[in-house]
Amino acid sequence: MNKKNILIVDDSQFDRDLLSKAISRNLNLNVIEAQSGEQCLEILSKNSIDVILLDILMPGMAGTEVLFKIRENHNPIHLPIIMTSAKADASDVIGCLHTGANDYVTKPINFDVLTSRIQTQIKISQLSKEIAQLKEKVALDALITTYNHEINNKLAIAIGCLNSDEIKAIKKYSTLESSLWGIAEIIKKIRDITKKEEPEYSKYTESSKMIKIHKD
Amino acid sequence: MSETTNSYNKEKFLMQFQGMEDLALHAVSSFLDNLPDLLSSIEKSLKTKNPKELELSAHTLKGVLSNFYAEPSQLLAWKLEQIGSGQVMDDSAIRIYENLKREVTILANQLFKLKNQGIAS
């Protein structure tokens, strides 16, 4: 599996250096660094980033502005953003959470806490993507089932017509009959496949990181 | 009982690294490497009388110092940050900066000692 990418955005060389070292030491992530908001947006436009650590107070484009711009194109599920801030910036942190930050850590950073928070955000993002994929599959299955049912109804009418003497009298009757029964066979196969691939709740919770809330 | 020196709190500093001594030593080395640039950014903002630059550069240094729980110098950096955010720079800013420079020099000497003697000292 490919390593996930974390982007550290901080104007302080000391903070970037320490965060980068701590993350590389504790987590299996590729670390990318940006020293300004502008550089962050540029890197984001050219790379696939999985989580961002974003400082609030920076020269040029502030972290709050960067956050706002990122959220124009990336939702919090697909791209979690953890704000970093000095304790005095509490009001800014609240503002950031309202603008779409997923979490925040205060400086000086406890690196065990930071590691847990990054892992949590990555897990939430991964799980949300799995749920979205599952929902898409369920919707597709429902669509196939509905169309299958609709076609089957029309086909039943058509096959019913084969019993009529007028239809039996036409030249191509046998071709028509075998074609209609052929379609009926294909529809039956589609129904069987769809039934087999319907996701089972218990199977899903066993194979994923979801907490099972019902006993079988 | 917390071991407190005049310039920083060693116990609190080490606590945030929780057994990652290599990382703590890396923080010390990185601080010693970056300190001249951090101070010169503040100095430049004072020379050019740029309050916004003073606010940002003092804020950055304050954040770095907070890793070492270096309260005396953090307080001075905070005062400079406040002067910068107030948009009015007078001579007091230069006096505070001189005090800050003195404090961080003491801190740097103590951290240099820690780096050479090792965490367990």
Side-chain angles (χ1 to χ4, degrees):
Chain A
M1 206 166 113
N2 285 340
K3 264 188 177 182
K4 292 191 181 296
N5 292 327
I6 184 165
L7 177 60
I8 298 170
V9 190
D10 203 309
D11 61 303
S12 163
Q13 169 74 46
F14 174 87
D15 285 337
R16 285 201 311 276
D17 188 32
L18 199 56
L19 286 168
S20 173
K21 185 94 174 167
I23 290 165
S24 304
R25 191 188 190 279
N26 297 345
L27 295 163
N28 187 30
L29 297 172
N30 279 325
V31 180
I32 302 169
E33 295 179 23
Q35 59 182 354
S36 67
E38 291 83 355
Q39 200 182 3
C40 162
L41 296 176
E42 196 190 328
I43 290 171
L44 195 55
S45 70
K46 292 174 184 165
N47 297 274
S48 168
I49 302 295
D50 299 287
V51 59
I52 296 180
L53 275 186
L54 179 59
D55 186 28
I56 293 180
L57 194 57
M58 292 188 290
M61 197 184 280
T64 43
E65 201 184 334
V66 179
L67 172 67
F68 190 77
K69 284 207 175 288
I70 293 173
R71 284 291 173 250
E72 285 175 359
N73 300 309
H74 302 270
N75 69 45
I77 288 169
H78 287 96
L79 182 54
I81 299 176
I82 301 171
M83 306 303 290
T84 58
S85 141
K87 274 181 183 166
D89 299 323
S91 59
D92 285 336
V93 170
I94 294 163
C96 287
L97 290 172
H98 284 298
T99 313
N102 297 65
D103 201 353
Y104 75 94
V105 285
T106 51
K107 293 178 183 176
I109 291 169
N110 179 303
F111 295 99
D112 273 355
V113 171
L114 177 69
T115 301
S116 297
R117 293 200 172 176
I118 293 170
Q119 281 174 324
T120 301
Q121 288 305 327
I122 289 174
K123 274 183 193 166
I124 290 171
S125 177
Q126 205 171 319
L127 189 58
S128 302
K129 283 172 194 168
E130 279 178 27
I131 291 170
Q133 279 173 353
L134 187 76
K135 277 183 180 170
E136 238 173 67
K137 194 181 172 310
V138 168
L140 192 64
D141 282 344
L143 193 70
I144 291 170
T145 306
T146 306
Y147 282 146
N148 190 294
H149 181 72
E150 289 296 314
I151 294 168
N152 205 35
N153 282 349
K154 304 280 185 270
L155 192 64
I157 294 166
I159 289 171
C161 290
L162 291 176
N163 295 324
S164 140
D165 291 338
E166 286 170 46
I167 300 292
K168 279 179 181 171
I170 65 172
K171 262 186 183 175
K172 301 268 184 182
Y173 174 80
S174 62
T175 310
L176 182 65
E177 186 188 30
S178 67
S179 296
L180 287 176
W181 282 112
I183 293 170
E185 197 57 38
I186 291 165
I187 287 169
K188 189 177 172 298
K189 278 179 189 169
I190 292 172
R191 191 172 56 224
D192 290 346
I193 291 165
T194 313
K195 266 185 191 167
K196 271 180 200 164
E197 288 194 352
E198 259 176 26
E200 290 165 22
Y201 175 76
S202 59
K203 204 174 172 183
Y204 178 66
T205 53
E206 271 162 22
S207 65
S208 179
K209 297 160 199 71
M210 282 177 72
I211 298 164
K212 210 168 181 179
I213 50 173
H214 297 295
K215 282 184 180 174
D216 291 328
Chain B
M1 187 77 177
S2 167
E3 185 197 331
T4 309
T5 66
N6 282 336
S7 60
Y8 80 111
N9 188 313
K10 184 180 169 183
E11 191 180 307
K12 281 186 178 175
F13 162 61
L14 294 177
M15 202 180 289
Q16 69 191 315
F17 295 97
Q18 289 169 347
M20 297 182 276
E21 288 182 6
D22 58 324
L23 200 57
L25 286 175
H26 183 80
V28 171
S29 296
S30 184
F31 172 74
L32 295 172
D33 289 346
N34 284 290
L35 187 57
D37 285 345
L38 289 164
L39 287 174
S40 73
S41 295
I42 297 177
E43 217 166 292
K44 192 180 154 200
S45 70
L46 291 169
K47 275 181 187 158
T48 56
K49 295 190 187 300
N50 185 332
K52 187 66 194 167
E53 284 297 317
L54 176 64
E55 183 192 3
L56 288 168
S57 54
H59 175 84
T60 302
L61 178 60
K62 185 189 77 180
V64 171
L65 291 167
S66 72
N67 287 284
F68 303 95
Y69 294 87
E71 282 174 18
S73 36
Q74 262 177 266
L75 180 65
L76 293 165
W78 176 79
K79 281 181 181 172
L80 286 178
E81 185 185 352
Q82 293 304 304
I83 290 172
S85 69
Q87 302 291 314
V88 182
M89 286 170 70
D90 53 29
D91 288 348
S92 69
I94 294 166
R95 279 199 302 277
I96 292 168
Y97 173 68
E98 290 304 327
N99 287 337
L100 173 65
K101 214 159 90 171
R102 202 174 307 122
E103 277 297 334
V104 292
T105 305
I106 296 168
L107 172 66
N109 288 336
Q110 289 184 347
L111 290 175
F112 188 73
K113 209 170 126 189
L114 177 74
K115 186 187 160 193
N116 287 338
Q117 292 178 345
I119 298 290
S121 63

